[in-house]
Amino acid sequence: MLDKIAIFAEVARSQINHTMAHERPETETNQEKEIDLLELLRAVWAARRRIVLYAAVGAAVGLIVGFSIPKTYVTTIKLAPESKTAGNGGGGMAGLAAMAGFNLNAGAGTEGITTAIFPEIVQSTPFLLEFAEIPITLMPQKTGEPGERMTLFEYVSDHQRQAWWKYLAAAPGRAVGWLLGHDREEEPVPPVDSVELLHLPKAYKDFVKALNRMMMVEEDKKSSLLEAKVTMQDPFVAAVVADSLVAKLQKYMTVYRTQKTRHDLEQNMRQNAEAQARYYEVENRLAEAIDQNRNISSESLRVRIERLRNERTLAYSIWNQTAMQVETAKIKLQEEMPIATVVEPAIISDRPAAPKKMVILIAFAFLGGLWAAGGVVARFLLAEGATSSAEVASRG
């Protein structure tokens, strides 16, 4: 019995020693990891002056970048467009609710053009080319002096300031062009009304590309409002272009929404004119037949006059019906005339929207400090790796 107890105690002692032998390396490893983390923090703290220096250098670079980027001003106009819905969509109450932030027509089908495609319209080349000849006046340099006048095409093409690094990036290309003799003066740009979209000059392509970045229309899905935003380097120009953008959008809405009704109205007016001419012709023939045969009495003449009278009655009926169709089409055209209520008009901005100098400064300062701290961490990890390799080699 004592022998069995001794054997059991020996087995238990061996299991305990085996378990402790397996747990000891993990504990030592955890201690080494904790010690390594503390050493890493000490290394980063020891290099705090370098990190602060790099952050200061980054802040200085951020200031240079922030002051090198030209100022831009944003003008925003909010619209509440009238939407034609299929069925009972709330009528005029829907438009008032949209101004208050509620969409009563959610889920209802729409007829014709919808506000969702206006952003695509604003980005189209034909629409943007209509802005080339808009007259604008720049903000005067001094109080009391008149601002410089020009077209929007001239302003976008020749009066846009850029950051200094963009001029440096373009310098090699200009130098190569000068050496190859490609710096000759370009041919004068033709008027925008005379150009073809298939053969659009490069100057107008650049104008459309630049204007595409400056103009934007967004739709608020919740309130169904349209926001027309124009970003320019001159606040006066931004306000003028924003007003023109809204006017052209309203014109486009009118043309698109009433296109079919206008076509129907023209068709009805043409049919009414033909019916009127037909009625006058038949009436003249009837009057001539009566005047020429006033004293003649015969059955054939009576039948002929009766036939002309019936033909006149039919022509008058058709003329009357076409006249009613014309009036109906006019009423329908008036009803389908879209109305876009300006909720927020254009206001000349007195503060630039970009660049955000403080944000740029903080971002560059953070990147500078992060660069220095990353270098310290990388050197520490490399040193730790080299030390671990040396220890493994010595143990081997």
Side-chain angles (χ1 to χ4, degrees), residues 8-71:
F8 179 76
E10 185 67 23
V11 171
R13 188 182 301 108
S14 62
Q15 290 180 353
I16 293 172
N17 293 333
H18 181 71
T19 303
M20 293 178 64
H22 280 284
E23 292 179 353
R24 189 178 298 110
E26 295 180 359
T27 305
E28 294 177 355
T29 302
N30 293 333
Q31 293 178 354
E32 290 177 359
K33 289 183 179 179
E34 293 177 358
I35 294 173
D36 292 342
L37 181 59
L38 292 176
E39 291 295 331
L40 177 59
L41 293 177
R42 291 193 185 97
V44 173
W45 178 252
R48 61 186 180 277
R49 292 185 178 179
R50 180 185 302 176
I51 296 175
V52 173
L53 177 61
Y54 274 65
V57 173
V61 174
L63 282 177
I64 296 174
V65 172
F67 282 96
S68 299
I69 300 175
K71 296 179 181 180

Side-chain angles (χ1 to χ4, degrees), residues 11 16 58 89 93 104 106 110-111 154 177-178 203 231 240 248 310 326:
V11 171
I16 293 172
M93 294 300 296
L104 297 182
T110 58
E111 297 178 352
E154 295 173 347
W178 180 77
T231 304
V240 171
K248 291 184 180 299
N310 293 336
V326 169

Side-chain angles (χ1 to χ4, degrees), residues 291-341:
D291 291 340
Q292 294 176 0
N293 303 282
R294 184 176 299 273
N295 297 323
I296 301 176
S297 176
S298 66
E299 185 65 20
S300 60
L301 178 60
R302 187 187 63 80
V303 171
R304 179 186 173 191
I305 292 177
E306 187 68 22
R307 187 182 299 132
L308 288 174
R309 286 176 177 172
N310 293 336
E311 190 174 352
R312 183 188 63 176
T313 303
L314 178 60
Y316 178 80
S317 177
I318 296 175
W319 179 29
N320 189 30
Q321 290 179 3
T322 56
M324 293 177 60
Q325 291 176 357
V326 169
E327 296 301 323
T328 303
K330 288 181 179 180
I331 296 174
K332 184 178 180 182
L333 179 63
Q334 186 65 29
E335 291 177 352
E336 292 187 353
M337 197 72 67
I339 300 175
T341 305

Side-chain angles (χ1 to χ4, degrees), residues 110-126:
T110 58
E111 297 178 352
I113 192 172
T114 60
T115 56
I117 70 171
F118 279 117
E120 301 297 330
I121 295 173
V122 173
Q123 296 178 358
S124 63
T125 299

Side-chain angles (χ1 to χ4, degrees), residues 341-385:
T341 305
V342 177
V343 180
E344 182 69 27
I347 300 176
I348 299 176
S349 177
D350 55 352
R351 292 185 179 181
K356 304 289 186 181
K357 295 184 177 65
M358 186 57 64
V359 175
I360 295 175
L361 186 146
I362 295 174
F364 272 84
F366 175 77
L367 291 176
L370 184 63
W371 179 271
V376 173
V377 173
R379 285 192 295 272
F380 179 82
L381 294 179
L382 290 176
E384 286 292 321

